[in-house]
PDB file of all heavy atoms in Angstrom:
ATOM      1  N   GLN A  37      -0.712  -2.776   5.208  1.00 94.00           N
ATOM      2  CA  GLN A  37       0.578  -3.311   5.625  1.00 94.00           C
ATOM      3  C   GLN A  37       0.753  -3.015   7.101  1.00 94.00           C
ATOM      4  O   GLN A  37       1.068  -1.877   7.475  1.00 94.00           O
ATOM      5  CB  GLN A  37       1.708  -2.695   4.792  1.00 94.00           C
ATOM      6  CG  GLN A  37       3.067  -3.331   5.032  1.00 94.00           C
ATOM      7  CD  GLN A  37       4.128  -2.747   4.105  1.00 94.00           C
ATOM      8  OE1 GLN A  37       4.170  -1.554   3.851  1.00 94.00           O
ATOM      9  NE2 GLN A  37       5.003  -3.608   3.579  1.00 94.00           N
ATOM     10  N   LEU A  43       2.049  -7.145   2.971  1.00 92.00           N
ATOM     11  CA  LEU A  43       0.837  -6.509   2.466  1.00 92.00           C
ATOM     12  C   LEU A  43      -0.314  -7.508   2.398  1.00 92.00           C
ATOM     13  O   LEU A  43      -0.119  -8.677   2.060  1.00 92.00           O
ATOM     14  CB  LEU A  43       1.091  -5.959   1.063  1.00 92.00           C
ATOM     15  CG  LEU A  43       1.958  -4.719   1.000  1.00 92.00           C
ATOM     16  CD1 LEU A  43       2.769  -4.682  -0.284  1.00 92.00           C
ATOM     17  CD2 LEU A  43       1.091  -3.475   1.106  1.00 92.00           C
ATOM     18  N   ASP A  56     -15.132  -7.008  -4.514  1.00 93.00           N
ATOM     19  CA  ASP A  56     -14.629  -8.044  -3.606  1.00 93.00           C
ATOM     20  C   ASP A  56     -14.157  -7.362  -2.335  1.00 93.00           C
ATOM     21  O   ASP A  56     -13.209  -6.582  -2.373  1.00 93.00           O
ATOM     22  CB  ASP A  56     -13.485  -8.816  -4.276  1.00 93.00           C
ATOM     23  CG  ASP A  56     -12.932  -9.959  -3.429  1.00 93.00           C
ATOM     24  OD1 ASP A  56     -13.242 -10.033  -2.222  1.00 93.00           O
ATOM     25  OD2 ASP A  56     -12.173 -10.770  -3.975  1.00 93.00           O
ATOM     26  N   ARG A  98      -8.797  -5.627 -14.999  1.00 81.00           N
ATOM     27  CA  ARG A  98      -8.293  -6.704 -14.134  1.00 81.00           C
ATOM     28  C   ARG A  98      -6.993  -7.304 -14.632  1.00 81.00           C
ATOM     29  O   ARG A  98      -6.176  -7.762 -13.857  1.00 81.00           O
ATOM     30  CB  ARG A  98      -9.347  -7.802 -14.084  1.00 81.00           C
ATOM     31  CG  ARG A  98     -10.019  -7.979 -12.775  1.00 81.00           C
ATOM     32  CD  ARG A  98     -11.110  -9.011 -12.921  1.00 81.00           C
ATOM     33  NE  ARG A  98     -11.685  -9.293 -11.633  1.00 81.00           N
ATOM     34  CZ  ARG A  98     -12.966  -9.509 -11.423  1.00 81.00           C
ATOM     35  NH1 ARG A  98     -13.811  -9.472 -12.437  1.00 81.00           N
ATOM     36  NH2 ARG A  98     -13.422  -9.778 -10.226  1.00 81.00           N
ATOM     37  N   ALA A  99      -6.807  -7.340 -15.930  1.00 80.00           N
ATOM     38  CA  ALA A  99      -5.652  -8.043 -16.505  1.00 80.00           C
ATOM     39  C   ALA A  99      -4.398  -7.191 -16.572  1.00 80.00           C
ATOM     40  O   ALA A  99      -3.330  -7.688 -16.887  1.00 80.00           O
ATOM     41  CB  ALA A  99      -6.007  -8.550 -17.900  1.00 80.00           C
ATOM     42  N   ARG A 109       0.111   6.538   6.014  1.00 96.00           N
ATOM     43  CA  ARG A 109       0.546   5.942   7.274  1.00 96.00           C
ATOM     44  C   ARG A 109      -0.393   6.413   8.372  1.00 96.00           C
ATOM     45  O   ARG A 109      -0.423   7.596   8.695  1.00 96.00           O
ATOM     46  CB  ARG A 109       1.983   6.341   7.629  1.00 96.00           C
ATOM     47  CG  ARG A 109       2.993   5.374   7.061  1.00 96.00           C
ATOM     48  CD  ARG A 109       3.538   5.848   5.738  1.00 96.00           C
ATOM     49  NE  ARG A 109       4.379   4.844   5.104  1.00 96.00           N
ATOM     50  CZ  ARG A 109       4.456   4.676   3.797  1.00 96.00           C
ATOM     51  NH1 ARG A 109       3.739   5.417   2.982  1.00 96.00           N
ATOM     52  NH2 ARG A 109       5.250   3.759   3.286  1.00 96.00           N
TER      53      ARG A 109
ATOM     54  N   GLN B  37       9.871  -1.611  -2.622  1.00 94.00           N
ATOM     55  CA  GLN B  37       9.447  -0.662  -1.579  1.00 94.00           C
ATOM     56  C   GLN B  37      10.669  -0.180  -0.823  1.00 94.00           C
ATOM     57  O   GLN B  37      11.400  -0.970  -0.224  1.00 94.00           O
ATOM     58  CB  GLN B  37       8.458  -1.313  -0.613  1.00 94.00           C
ATOM     59  CG  GLN B  37       7.890  -0.342   0.409  1.00 94.00           C
ATOM     60  CD  GLN B  37       6.842  -0.974   1.313  1.00 94.00           C
ATOM     61  OE1 GLN B  37       6.854  -2.169   1.554  1.00 94.00           O
ATOM     62  NE2 GLN B  37       5.928  -0.158   1.816  1.00 94.00           N
ATOM     63  N   GLY B  40       9.825   3.209   4.531  1.00 77.00           N
ATOM     64  CA  GLY B  40       8.912   4.319   4.737  1.00 77.00           C
ATOM     65  C   GLY B  40       8.340   4.893   3.461  1.00 77.00           C
ATOM     66  O   GLY B  40       7.675   5.941   3.479  1.00 77.00           O
ATOM     67  N   GLY B  41       8.587   4.214   2.348  1.00 80.00           N
ATOM     68  CA  GLY B  41       8.193   4.784   1.067  1.00 80.00           C
ATOM     69  C   GLY B  41       7.049   4.051   0.407  1.00 80.00           C
ATOM     70  O   GLY B  41       6.476   3.114   0.948  1.00 80.00           O
ATOM     71  N   MET B  48       5.303  -7.026 -14.372  1.00 91.00           N
ATOM     72  CA  MET B  48       4.228  -8.007 -14.341  1.00 91.00           C
ATOM     73  C   MET B  48       4.534  -8.943 -15.494  1.00 91.00           C
ATOM     74  O   MET B  48       4.674  -8.483 -16.635  1.00 91.00           O
ATOM     75  CB  MET B  48       2.856  -7.368 -14.542  1.00 91.00           C
ATOM     76  CG  MET B  48       1.723  -8.381 -14.447  1.00 91.00           C
ATOM     77  SD  MET B  48       0.088  -7.636 -14.490  1.00 91.00           S
ATOM     78  CE  MET B  48      -0.380  -7.928 -16.177  1.00 91.00           C
ATOM     79  N   ASP B  96      -9.944 -11.812  -5.951  1.00 80.00           N
ATOM     80  CA  ASP B  96      -9.351 -10.595  -6.503  1.00 80.00           C
ATOM     81  C   ASP B  96      -8.150 -10.119  -5.696  1.00 80.00           C
ATOM     82  O   ASP B  96      -7.819 -10.684  -4.656  1.00 80.00           O
ATOM     83  CB  ASP B  96     -10.417  -9.494  -6.554  1.00 80.00           C
ATOM     84  CG  ASP B  96     -11.515  -9.820  -7.532  1.00 80.00           C
ATOM     85  OD1 ASP B  96     -11.213  -9.889  -8.729  1.00 80.00           O
ATOM     86  OD2 ASP B  96     -12.658 -10.022  -7.095  1.00 80.00           O
ATOM     87  N   LEU B  98      -4.175  -9.122  -4.865  1.00 89.00           N
ATOM     88  CA  LEU B  98      -2.908  -9.831  -4.945  1.00 89.00           C
ATOM     89  C   LEU B  98      -2.583 -10.458  -3.605  1.00 89.00           C
ATOM     90  O   LEU B  98      -2.975  -9.946  -2.557  1.00 89.00           O
ATOM     91  CB  LEU B  98      -1.781  -8.869  -5.333  1.00 89.00           C
ATOM     92  CG  LEU B  98      -1.837  -8.260  -6.745  1.00 89.00           C
ATOM     93  CD1 LEU B  98      -0.790  -7.164  -6.887  1.00 89.00           C
ATOM     94  CD2 LEU B  98      -1.656  -9.328  -7.799  1.00 89.00           C
ATOM     95  N   PHE B 100       0.754 -11.457  -1.408  1.00 93.00           N
ATOM     96  CA  PHE B 100       2.138 -10.985  -1.404  1.00 93.00           C
ATOM     97  C   PHE B 100       3.060 -11.923  -0.646  1.00 93.00           C
ATOM     98  O   PHE B 100       2.667 -12.521   0.367  1.00 93.00           O
ATOM     99  CB  PHE B 100       2.213  -9.601  -0.746  1.00 93.00           C
ATOM    100  CG  PHE B 100       1.402  -8.548  -1.446  1.00 93.00           C
ATOM    101  CD1 PHE B 100       0.051  -8.411  -1.178  1.00 93.00           C
ATOM    102  CD2 PHE B 100       1.983  -7.701  -2.375  1.00 93.00           C
ATOM    103  CE1 PHE B 100      -0.718  -7.445  -1.823  1.00 93.00           C
ATOM    104  CE2 PHE B 100       1.225  -6.733  -3.024  1.00 93.00           C
ATOM    105  CZ  PHE B 100      -0.123  -6.611  -2.749  1.00 93.00           C
TER     106      PHE B 100
END
Side-chain angles (χ1 to χ4, degrees):
Chain A
Q37 188 176 40
L43 287 149
D56 182 347
R98 248 175 174 142
R109 270 95 187 146
Chain B
Q37 185 176 27
M48 183 173 101
D96 294 295
L98 293 171
F100 299 84

